[in-house]
Amino acid sequence: MSRSPAVPKHLRGSWADILTPTADAPPFHPDQTAQLPDAARRWLGHAIAAGTLLRRRIEMRQHGQIKIAGRWWPIRCRQALDPLRGYVWPVRTSIAGLPLIGFDLLADGEAELTHRLLGVIPVVHVQEPGLVRSAAA
């Protein structure tokens, strides 16, 4: 499994909306971390150069493993994330050699989890109010 999953066509509007650039953010200054625990303050001071514009939207590519039915399986995913507005998380894994393709979504006050074996056989489909609370947490 070498490639990241595509963003499903019906989620491309949400993907683009989440990644729409924000207005220029204030630049980072180490004083902004004064109220944090020492370890967090030191790490942020090391990781973010003074003067860096602070943005809150990001597109990430991820890989690793996910535990399904008691076993670890390889996973590839992408994510459009704005912690204040939501996320779109297309994901791809392979279980016993069969592709499991799906997405998790939190956008515009709605949440959905949909994952399909071979891209067509429903394995998980959840879209209910409780999921919105869970996804937002």
Coordinates of all heavy atoms in Angstrom, one line a residue, residues 35-127:
Q35 N 1.9 30.9 29.9 CA 1.0 30.2 30.8 C 1.1 28.7 30.6 O 0.4 28.0 31.4 CB -0.4 30.7 30.6 CG -0.6 32.2 30.8 CD -0.1 32.6 32.2 OE1 -0.5 32.0 33.1 NE2 0.6 33.7 32.2
L36 N 1.9 28.1 29.7 CA 2.0 26.7 29.5 C 3.0 26.1 30.5 O 3.9 26.7 31.0 CB 2.4 26.4 28.1 CG 1.4 26.9 27.0 CD1 2.0 26.6 25.6 CD2 0.1 26.2 27.1
P37 N 2.8 24.7 30.7 CA 3.8 24.0 31.5 C 5.2 24.2 30.8 O 5.3 24.3 29.6 CB 3.4 22.6 31.5 CG 1.9 22.7 31.1 CD 1.7 23.9 30.3
D38 N 6.3 24.1 31.7 CA 7.6 24.3 31.2 C 8.0 23.4 29.9 O 8.5 23.9 29.0 CB 8.6 24.0 32.3 CG 8.7 25.0 33.4 OD1 8.2 26.2 33.1 OD2 9.1 24.8 34.5
A39 N 7.6 22.2 30.0 CA 8.0 21.3 28.9 C 7.3 21.7 27.6 O 8.0 21.8 26.5 CB 7.6 19.8 29.2
A40 N 6.0 22.1 27.6 CA 5.3 22.6 26.4 C 5.9 23.9 25.9 O 6.1 24.1 24.7 CB 3.8 22.7 26.7
R41 N 6.2 24.8 26.9 CA 6.8 26.1 26.5 C 8.1 25.9 25.8 O 8.4 26.5 24.8 CB 6.9 27.0 27.7 CG 7.2 28.4 27.4 CD 7.3 29.3 28.6 NE 8.3 28.9 29.5 CZ 8.1 28.4 30.7 NH1 6.9 28.1 31.2 NH2 9.2 28.1 31.5
R42 N 9.0 25.0 26.3 CA 10.3 24.8 25.7 C 10.1 24.2 24.3 O 10.8 24.5 23.4 CB 11.2 23.9 26.6 CG 11.7 24.6 27.8 CD 12.8 23.7 28.5 NE 12.3 22.3 28.8 CZ 11.7 22.0 29.9 NH1 11.5 22.8 30.9 NH2 11.4 20.7 30.1
W43 N 9.2 23.2 24.2 CA 9.1 22.5 22.9 C 8.6 23.5 21.9 O 9.1 23.5 20.8 CB 8.1 21.3 23.1 CG 8.0 20.6 21.8 CD1 8.8 19.6 21.3 CD2 7.0 20.8 20.8 NE1 8.4 19.2 20.1 CE2 7.2 19.9 19.7 CE3 5.8 21.6 20.7 CZ2 6.5 19.8 18.6 CZ3 5.0 21.5 19.6 CH2 5.4 20.6 18.5
L44 N 7.6 24.3 22.2 CA 7.0 25.3 21.2 C 8.1 26.3 20.9 O 8.2 26.7 19.7 CB 5.8 25.9 21.8 CG 4.6 25.0 21.8 CD1 3.4 25.7 22.6 CD2 4.1 24.6 20.4
G45 N 8.9 26.7 21.9 CA 9.9 27.7 21.6 C 11.0 27.1 20.7 O 11.6 27.8 19.9
H46 N 11.2 25.8 20.7 CA 12.1 25.1 19.9 C 11.5 24.9 18.5 O 12.2 25.0 17.5 CB 12.6 23.8 20.5 CG 13.4 22.9 19.6 ND1 14.7 23.2 19.3 CD2 13.0 21.8 18.8 CE1 15.1 22.2 18.4 NE2 14.1 21.4 18.2
A47 N 10.3 24.5 18.4 CA 9.6 24.1 17.2 C 9.1 25.3 16.3 O 9.0 25.1 15.1 CB 8.4 23.2 17.5
I48 N 8.9 26.4 16.9 CA 8.3 27.5 16.2 C 9.2 28.7 16.3 O 9.5 29.2 17.4 CB 6.9 27.9 16.7 CG1 6.0 26.7 16.7 CG2 6.3 29.0 15.8 CD1 4.6 27.0 17.3
A49 N 9.8 29.2 15.2 CA 10.7 30.4 15.2 C 9.8 31.6 15.5 O 8.7 31.8 15.1 CB 11.4 30.5 13.9
A50 N 10.4 32.5 16.3 CA 9.8 33.8 16.6 C 9.5 34.5 15.3 O 10.3 34.5 14.4 CB 10.7 34.6 17.5
G51 N 8.3 35.0 15.2 CA 7.9 35.7 14.0 C 7.2 34.9 12.9 O 6.6 35.4 12.0
T52 N 7.1 33.6 13.2 CA 6.4 32.7 12.3 C 4.9 33.0 12.3 O 4.3 33.1 13.4 CB 6.6 31.2 12.7 OG1 8.0 30.9 12.5 CG2 5.8 30.3 11.8
L53 N 4.2 33.2 11.2 CA 2.8 33.4 11.2 C 2.1 32.1 11.6 O 2.3 31.1 11.1 CB 2.3 33.8 9.8 CG 2.8 35.1 9.3 CD1 2.3 35.4 7.9 CD2 2.5 36.3 10.2
L54 N 1.2 32.3 12.6 CA 0.4 31.2 13.1 C -0.8 30.9 12.3 O -1.7 31.7 12.3 CB 0.1 31.4 14.6 CG 1.3 31.6 15.5 CD1 0.8 32.0 16.9 CD2 2.1 30.4 15.6
R55 N -0.8 29.8 11.7 CA -2.0 29.4 10.9 C -2.7 28.2 11.6 O -2.1 27.5 12.4 CB -1.5 28.8 9.5 CG -0.7 29.8 8.7 CD -1.5 30.9 8.1 NE -0.7 31.7 7.2 CZ -1.0 32.8 6.7 NH1 -2.2 33.3 7.0 NH2 -0.2 33.5 6.0
R56 N -4.0 28.0 11.3 CA -4.6 27.0 12.0 C -5.2 25.9 11.1 O -5.8 24.9 11.5 CB -5.8 27.5 12.9 CG -6.9 28.1 12.1 CD -8.1 28.4 13.1 NE -9.3 28.5 12.3 CZ -9.9 29.7 12.1 NH1 -9.4 30.7 12.6 NH2 -11.0 29.7 11.4
R57 N -5.0 26.0 9.8 CA -5.5 25.0 8.9 C -4.3 24.2 8.3 O -3.2 24.8 8.0 CB -6.3 25.6 7.7 CG -7.5 26.3 8.3 CD -8.3 27.0 7.2 NE -9.5 27.5 7.9 CZ -10.5 28.0 7.2 NH1 -10.4 28.1 5.9 NH2 -11.6 28.4 7.8
I58 N -4.5 23.0 8.1 CA -3.3 22.2 7.6 C -3.8 21.0 6.8 O -4.9 20.5 7.0 CB -2.5 21.7 8.8 CG1 -1.2 21.0 8.3 CG2 -3.3 20.7 9.7 CD1 -0.2 20.7 9.4
E59 N -3.0 20.5 5.8 CA -3.2 19.3 5.1 C -2.1 18.4 5.5 O -0.9 18.8 5.3 CB -3.3 19.5 3.6 CG -3.4 18.2 2.9 CD -3.5 18.3 1.3 OE1 -3.6 19.4 0.8 OE2 -3.4 17.3 0.7
M60 N -2.4 17.2 6.0 CA -1.4 16.2 6.4 C -1.5 15.0 5.6 O -2.6 14.6 5.2 CB -1.6 15.9 7.9 CG -1.5 17.0 8.8 SD -1.7 16.5 10.5 CE -3.4 16.3 10.6
R61 N -0.4 14.3 5.4 CA -0.4 12.9 4.9 C 0.2 12.1 6.0 O 1.2 12.5 6.7 CB 0.5 12.8 3.7 CG -0.1 13.5 2.5 CD 0.7 13.3 1.2 NE 0.2 14.2 0.2 CZ -0.8 13.9 -0.7 NH1 -1.3 12.7 -0.6 NH2 -1.2 14.7 -1.6
Q62 N -0.5 10.9 6.3 CA -0.1 10.1 7.4 C 0.1 8.7 7.0 O -0.5 8.2 6.0 CB -1.1 10.2 8.5 CG -1.4 11.6 9.0 CD -2.8 11.7 9.6 OE1 -3.8 11.4 9.1 NE2 -2.8 12.2 10.9
H63 N 0.9 7.9 7.7 CA 1.0 6.5 7.5 C 1.3 5.9 8.8 O 1.8 6.5 9.7 CB 2.0 6.1 6.4 CG 3.4 6.5 6.8 ND1 4.2 5.7 7.5 CD2 4.1 7.7 6.6 CE1 5.4 6.3 7.7 NE2 5.3 7.5 7.2
G64 N 1.0 4.6 9.0 CA 1.2 3.9 10.2 C 0.4 2.7 10.3 O 0.3 1.9 9.3
Q65 N -0.1 2.4 11.5 CA -0.9 1.2 11.6 C -2.2 1.5 12.4 O -2.2 2.5 13.2 CB -0.1 0.1 12.4 CG 1.1 -0.4 11.7 CD 1.8 -1.4 12.5 OE1 1.8 -1.5 13.7 NE2 2.5 -2.3 11.8
I66 N -3.2 0.7 12.2 CA -4.5 0.9 12.9 C -4.9 -0.5 13.4 O -4.7 -1.5 12.7 CB -5.6 1.5 12.0 CG1 -6.8 1.9 12.8 CG2 -5.9 0.6 10.8 CD1 -7.8 2.8 12.1
K67 N -5.5 -0.6 14.6 CA -5.9 -1.9 15.1 C -7.3 -2.1 14.8 O -8.2 -1.3 15.1 CB -5.7 -1.9 16.6 CG -5.8 -3.2 17.3 CD -5.4 -3.2 18.7 CE -5.3 -4.6 19.3 NZ -4.8 -4.5 20.7
I68 N -7.6 -3.2 14.1 CA -8.9 -3.6 13.7 C -9.1 -5.1 14.0 O -8.3 -5.9 13.6 CB -9.2 -3.3 12.1 CG1 -9.0 -1.9 11.8 CG2 -10.6 -3.8 11.7 CD1 -9.0 -1.6 10.3
A69 N -10.1 -5.4 14.7 CA -10.4 -6.8 15.1 C -9.2 -7.4 15.7 O -8.9 -8.6 15.5 CB -10.9 -7.6 13.9
G70 N -8.5 -6.7 16.6 CA -7.4 -7.3 17.4 C -6.1 -7.4 16.7 O -5.2 -7.9 17.3
R71 N -6.0 -6.9 15.4 CA -4.8 -7.0 14.7 C -4.4 -5.6 14.2 O -5.2 -4.8 13.9 CB -4.9 -7.9 13.5 CG -4.9 -9.4 13.9 CD -4.6 -10.4 12.8 NE -3.4 -10.0 12.0 CZ -3.2 -10.4 10.8 NH1 -4.1 -11.2 10.2 NH2 -2.1 -10.1 10.2
W72 N -3.1 -5.4 14.0 CA -2.6 -4.2 13.4 C -2.4 -4.3 11.9 O -1.9 -5.3 11.4 CB -1.2 -3.8 14.0 CG -1.4 -3.4 15.5 CD1 -1.2 -4.2 16.6 CD2 -1.8 -2.2 16.0 NE1 -1.5 -3.5 17.7 CE2 -1.8 -2.3 17.4 CE3 -2.1 -0.9 15.4 CZ2 -2.2 -1.2 18.2 CZ3 -2.4 0.1 16.2 CH2 -2.5 0.0 17.6
W73 N -3.0 -3.3 11.2 CA -2.9 -3.3 9.7 C -2.3 -2.0 9.3 O -2.5 -0.9 9.9 CB -4.3 -3.4 9.2 CG -5.1 -4.6 9.6 CD1 -5.9 -4.7 10.7 CD2 -5.0 -5.9 9.1 NE1 -6.4 -5.9 10.8 CE2 -5.8 -6.7 9.8 CE3 -4.3 -6.5 8.0 CZ2 -6.0 -8.1 9.6 CZ3 -4.5 -7.8 7.7 CH2 -5.3 -8.6 8.5
P74 N -1.6 -2.0 8.1 CA -1.0 -0.7 7.6 C -2.1 0.2 7.2 O -3.1 -0.2 6.8 CB -0.1 -1.2 6.4 CG -0.8 -2.5 6.0 CD -1.3 -3.1 7.2
I75 N -1.8 1.5 7.3 CA -2.7 2.5 7.0 C -2.1 3.7 6.3 O -0.9 4.0 6.6 CB -3.5 3.0 8.3 CG1 -4.6 3.9 7.9 CG2 -2.5 3.7 9.2 CD1 -5.5 4.3 9.2
R76 N -2.8 4.3 5.3 CA -2.3 5.5 4.7 C -3.5 6.5 4.7 O -4.7 6.0 4.5 CB -1.9 5.3 3.2 CG -0.7 4.4 3.1 CD 0.4 5.3 2.4 NE 1.6 4.5 2.4 CZ 2.8 4.9 2.8 NH1 2.9 6.1 3.2 NH2 3.8 4.2 2.7
C77 N -3.3 7.7 5.0 CA -4.4 8.7 5.0 C -3.9 10.1 4.7 O -2.7 10.3 4.7 CB -5.1 8.6 6.3 SG -4.1 8.5 7.8
R78 N -4.9 10.9 4.5 CA -4.7 12.3 4.3 C -5.7 13.0 5.3 O -6.6 12.4 5.6 CB -5.0 12.8 2.9 CG -4.2 12.2 1.8 CD -4.7 12.4 0.5 NE -4.6 13.9 0.1 CZ -5.1 14.4 -1.0 NH1 -5.7 13.6 -1.8 NH2 -5.0 15.7 -1.2
Q79 N -5.4 14.2 5.6 CA -6.4 14.9 6.4 C -6.3 16.4 6.2 O -5.2 17.0 6.1 CB -6.1 14.7 7.9 CG -7.2 15.3 8.8 CD -7.0 14.9 10.3 OE1 -5.9 14.5 10.7 NE2 -8.1 14.9 11.0
A80 N -7.5 17.0 6.0 CA -7.6 18.5 5.9 C -8.2 18.8 7.3 O -9.2 18.2 7.7 CB -8.6 18.9 4.9
L81 N -7.5 19.7 8.1 CA -7.9 19.9 9.4 C -7.9 21.4 9.8 O -6.9 22.1 9.5 CB -6.9 19.2 10.4 CG -7.0 19.5 11.9 CD1 -8.3 18.9 12.4 CD2 -5.8 18.9 12.6
D82 N -9.0 21.8 10.3 CA -9.1 23.1 11.0 C -9.7 22.9 12.3 O -10.9 22.6 12.4 CB -9.9 24.1 10.2 CG -10.1 25.5 10.8 OD1 -9.9 25.6 12.1 OD2 -10.4 26.4 10.1
P83 N -9.0 22.9 13.4 CA -9.6 22.5 14.7 C -10.8 23.2 15.1 O -11.6 22.7 15.9 CB -8.4 22.7 15.7 CG -7.2 22.8 14.9 CD -7.6 23.2 13.5
L84 N -11.0 24.4 14.6 CA -12.2 25.2 14.9 C -13.4 24.9 14.0 O -14.5 25.3 14.3 CB -11.9 26.7 14.9 CG -10.7 27.2 15.8 CD1 -10.5 28.7 15.7 CD2 -11.0 26.8 17.3
R85 N -13.2 24.3 12.9 CA -14.2 24.0 11.9 C -14.5 22.6 11.6 O -15.6 22.2 11.2 CB -13.9 24.8 10.6 CG -13.9 26.3 11.0 CD -13.9 27.2 9.8 NE -14.9 26.9 8.9 CZ -14.8 27.0 7.6 NH1 -13.7 27.3 7.1 NH2 -15.8 26.7 6.8
G86 N -13.5 21.8 11.6 CA -13.7 20.4 11.3 C -12.5 19.7 10.6 O -11.4 20.3 10.5
Y87 N -12.8 18.5 10.0 CA -11.8 17.8 9.3 C -12.4 16.9 8.2 O -13.6 16.5 8.3 CB -10.9 17.0 10.2 CG -11.7 16.0 11.1 CD1 -11.9 14.7 10.6 CD2 -12.1 16.3 12.3 CE1 -12.6 13.8 11.4 CE2 -12.8 15.4 13.1 CZ -13.0 14.2 12.6 OH -13.7 13.3 13.4
V88 N -11.6 16.5 7.3 CA -12.0 15.4 6.3 C -10.8 14.5 6.4 O -9.6 14.9 6.2 CB -12.2 16.0 4.9 CG1 -12.5 14.8 3.9 CG2 -13.3 17.0 4.9
W89 N -11.0 13.2 6.6 CA -9.9 12.2 6.8 C -10.2 11.0 5.9 O -10.7 10.0 6.3 CB -9.9 11.8 8.2 CG -8.7 11.0 8.7 CD1 -7.4 11.4 8.7 CD2 -8.7 9.7 9.2 NE1 -6.6 10.4 9.2 CE2 -7.4 9.3 9.5 CE3 -9.7 8.8 9.5 CZ2 -7.1 8.1 10.1 CZ3 -9.4 7.5 10.0 CH2 -8.1 7.2 10.3
P90 N -9.8 11.1 4.6 CA -9.8 9.9 3.8 C -8.7 8.9 4.2 O -7.6 9.3 4.5 CB -9.5 10.4 2.4 CG -9.6 11.9 2.4 CD -9.3 12.2 3.9
V91 N -9.1 7.6 4.3 CA -8.1 6.6 4.8 C -8.2 5.4 3.9 O -9.2 5.0 3.4 CB -8.4 6.3 6.3 CG1 -9.8 5.8 6.4 CG2 -7.4 5.4 6.9
R92 N -7.1 4.7 3.9 CA -7.0 3.5 3.1 C -6.1 2.5 3.9 O -5.1 2.8 4.4 CB -6.3 3.8 1.7 CG -6.1 2.6 0.9 CD -5.4 3.0 -0.4 NE -5.3 2.0 -1.4 CZ -6.3 1.8 -2.3 NH1 -7.3 2.6 -2.4 NH2 -6.2 0.8 -3.1
T93 N -6.6 1.3 4.0 CA -5.9 0.2 4.6 C -6.1 -1.1 3.8 O -6.9 -1.1 2.8 CB -6.2 0.0 6.1 OG1 -5.2 -0.9 6.7 CG2 -7.6 -0.5 6.3
S94 N -5.5 -2.1 4.2 CA -5.7 -3.4 3.5 C -5.8 -4.5 4.6 O -4.9 -4.6 5.5 CB -4.5 -3.7 2.6 OG -4.6 -4.9 2.0
I95 N -6.9 -5.2 4.6 CA -7.1 -6.3 5.5 C -7.1 -7.6 4.8 O -7.9 -7.8 3.9 CB -8.4 -6.1 6.3 CG1 -8.4 -4.7 7.1 CG2 -8.7 -7.2 7.2 CD1 -9.6 -4.4 7.8
A96 N -6.1 -8.4 5.2 CA -5.9 -9.7 4.5 C -5.8 -9.6 3.0 O -6.4 -10.4 2.2 CB -7.1 -10.7 4.9
G97 N -5.2 -8.5 2.6 CA -5.0 -8.3 1.2 C -6.1 -7.6 0.5 O -6.0 -7.3 -0.7
L98 N -7.2 -7.3 1.1 CA -8.3 -6.6 0.5 C -8.4 -5.2 1.0 O -8.3 -4.9 2.2 CB -9.6 -7.3 0.9 CG -9.8 -8.8 0.6 CD1 -11.0 -9.4 1.2 CD2 -9.8 -9.0 -1.0
P99 N -8.5 -4.2 0.0 CA -8.5 -2.8 0.4 C -9.8 -2.4 1.2 O -10.9 -2.8 0.8 CB -8.4 -2.1 -0.9 CG -8.9 -3.1 -1.9 CD -8.6 -4.4 -1.4
L100 N -9.6 -1.7 2.2 CA -10.6 -1.1 3.0 C -10.4 0.4 2.8 O -9.4 1.0 3.2 CB -10.6 -1.5 4.5 CG -11.6 -0.9 5.4 CD1 -13.0 -1.4 5.0 CD2 -11.3 -1.2 6.8
I101 N -11.4 1.1 2.2 CA -11.3 2.5 1.8 C -12.5 3.2 2.5 O -13.6 2.8 2.4 CB -11.3 2.7 0.3 CG1 -10.2 1.9 -0.3 CG2 -11.2 4.1 -0.1 CD1 -10.4 1.6 -1.8
G102 N -12.2 4.4 3.1 CA -13.2 5.2 3.7 C -12.8 6.5 4.1 O -11.8 7.1 3.6
F103 N -13.6 7.1 4.9 CA -13.4 8.5 5.4 C -14.1 8.7 6.7 O -15.1 8.1 7.0 CB -13.8 9.5 4.4 CG -15.3 9.6 4.1 CD1 -16.1 10.4 4.9 CD2 -15.8 8.8 3.1 CE1 -17.5 10.4 4.7 CE2 -17.2 8.9 2.9 CZ -18.0 9.6 3.7
D104 N -13.5 9.7 7.5 CA -14.2 10.3 8.6 C -14.4 11.7 8.3 O -13.5 12.3 7.7 CB -13.3 10.1 9.9 CG -13.2 8.7 10.4 OD1 -13.6 7.8 9.6 OD2 -12.7 8.5 11.5
L105 N -15.5 12.3 8.7 CA -15.8 13.7 8.4 C -16.4 14.4 9.6 O -17.3 13.8 10.2 CB -16.8 13.7 7.2 CG -17.5 15.0 6.9 CD1 -16.6 16.0 6.2 CD2 -18.7 14.8 6.0
L106 N -16.0 15.6 9.8 CA -16.7 16.6 10.7 C -16.6 17.9 10.0 O -15.5 18.5 9.9 CB -16.0 16.6 12.1 CG -16.6 17.7 13.0 CD1 -18.0 17.4 13.4 CD2 -15.7 17.8 14.3
A107 N -17.8 18.4 9.5 CA -17.8 19.7 8.8 C -19.2 20.2 8.8 O -20.2 19.4 8.7 CB -17.3 19.5 7.4
D108 N -19.3 21.5 8.9 CA -20.7 22.1 8.9 C -21.7 21.5 9.8 O -22.8 21.3 9.5 CB -21.2 22.1 7.4 CG -20.3 22.8 6.5 OD1 -19.7 23.9 6.8 OD2 -20.1 22.3 5.3
G109 N -21.2 21.1 11.0 CA -22.1 20.6 12.0 C -22.5 19.2 11.8 O -23.4 18.7 12.5
E110 N -22.0 18.5 10.8 CA -22.3 17.1 10.5 C -21.1 16.2 10.7 O -19.9 16.7 10.4 CB -22.9 17.0 9.1 CG -24.2 17.7 8.9 CD -24.8 17.5 7.5 OE1 -24.3 16.5 6.9 OE2 -25.6 18.3 7.1
A111 N -21.3 15.0 11.0 CA -20.2 14.0 11.1 C -20.6 12.7 10.4 O -21.8 12.4 10.4 CB -19.9 13.7 12.5
E112 N -19.6 12.0 9.9 CA -19.9 10.8 9.2 C -18.7 9.9 9.2 O -17.6 10.4 9.0 CB -20.4 11.0 7.7 CG -20.7 9.8 6.9 CD -21.1 10.1 5.5 OE1 -21.3 11.3 5.2 OE2 -21.3 9.1 4.8
L113 N -18.9 8.6 9.4 CA -17.8 7.6 9.2 C -18.3 6.6 8.2 O -19.4 6.1 8.3 CB -17.6 6.8 10.5 CG -16.7 7.4 11.5 CD1 -17.4 8.3 12.4 CD2 -16.0 6.3 12.3
T114 N -17.6 6.4 7.1 CA -18.0 5.5 6.1 C -16.7 4.7 5.6 O -15.8 5.4 5.2 CB -18.7 6.2 4.9 OG1 -19.9 6.8 5.3 CG2 -19.0 5.2 3.8
H115 N -16.8 3.4 5.7 CA -15.6 2.6 5.3 C -16.2 1.4 4.5 O -17.2 0.8 5.0 CB -14.8 2.2 6.5 CG -14.2 3.4 7.2 ND1 -13.0 3.9 6.9 CD2 -14.7 4.1 8.2 CE1 -12.8 5.0 7.6 NE2 -13.8 5.1 8.5
R116 N -15.6 1.1 3.4 CA -16.1 0.0 2.5 C -14.9 -0.9 2.1 O -13.9 -0.5 1.7 CB -16.7 0.6 1.3 CG -18.0 1.4 1.5 CD -18.6 1.9 0.2 NE -19.8 2.6 0.5 CZ -19.9 3.9 0.5 NH1 -18.9 4.6 0.2 NH2 -21.1 4.5 0.7
L117 N -15.2 -2.2 2.2 CA -14.3 -3.2 1.7 C -14.3 -3.3 0.2 O -15.4 -3.2 -0.4 CB -14.7 -4.6 2.3 CG -13.6 -5.7 2.2 CD1 -12.3 -5.4 2.9 CD2 -14.2 -7.0 2.7
L118 N -13.2 -3.3 -0.4 CA -13.0 -3.2 -1.9 C -13.6 -1.9 -2.4 O -13.9 -1.8 -3.6 CB -13.7 -4.4 -2.6 CG -13.2 -5.8 -2.2 CD1 -14.1 -6.9 -2.7 CD2 -11.8 -6.0 -2.7
G119 N -13.9 -1.0 -1.5 CA -14.4 0.3 -2.0 C -15.9 0.3 -2.2 O -16.5 1.3 -2.5
V120 N -16.6 -0.9 -2.1 CA -18.0 -1.0 -2.4 C -18.8 -1.7 -1.3 O -20.0 -1.4 -1.1 CB -18.3 -1.7 -3.7 CG1 -17.8 -0.8 -4.9 CG2 -17.7 -3.1 -3.8
I121 N -18.3 -2.6 -0.6 CA -19.0 -3.4 0.4 C -19.0 -2.7 1.8 O -18.0 -2.5 2.4 CB -18.4 -4.8 0.6 CG1 -18.4 -5.6 -0.7 CG2 -19.2 -5.6 1.7 CD1 -17.6 -6.8 -0.7
P122 N -20.2 -2.2 2.2 CA -20.2 -1.4 3.5 C -19.7 -2.2 4.7 O -20.1 -3.3 4.9 CB -21.7 -1.0 3.6 CG -22.3 -1.2 2.3 CD -21.5 -2.3 1.6
V123 N -18.8 -1.6 5.4 CA -18.3 -2.2 6.6 C -18.7 -1.3 7.8 O -19.2 -1.8 8.8 CB -16.8 -2.3 6.6 CG1 -16.2 -2.8 8.0 CG2 -16.3 -3.2 5.5
V124 N -18.6 0.0 7.7 CA -19.0 0.9 8.7 C -19.7 2.1 8.0 O -19.2 2.7 7.0 CB -17.8 1.5 9.5 CG1 -18.3 2.6 10.5 CG2 -17.1 0.4 10.2
H125 N -20.9 2.5 8.5 CA -21.5 3.7 8.1 C -22.3 4.3 9.2 O -23.2 3.7 9.7 CB -22.5 3.5 6.9 CG -23.1 4.8 6.5 ND1 -22.5 5.8 5.8 CD2 -24.4 5.3 6.7 CE1 -23.3 6.8 5.6 NE2 -24.4 6.6 6.2
V126 N -21.8 5.4 9.8 CA -22.4 6.0 10.9 C -22.6 7.5 10.6 O -21.7 8.2 10.1 CB -21.6 5.9 12.2 CG1 -22.3 6.5 13.4 CG2 -21.2 4.4 12.5
Q127 N -23.8 8.0 10.8 CA -24.1 9.4 10.6 C -25.3 9.7 11.5 O -26.4 9.6 11.1 CB -24.5 9.6 9.1 CG -24.5 11.1 8.7 CD -24.7 11.2 7.2 OE1 -25.1 10.3 6.5 NE2 -24.4 12.4 6.7

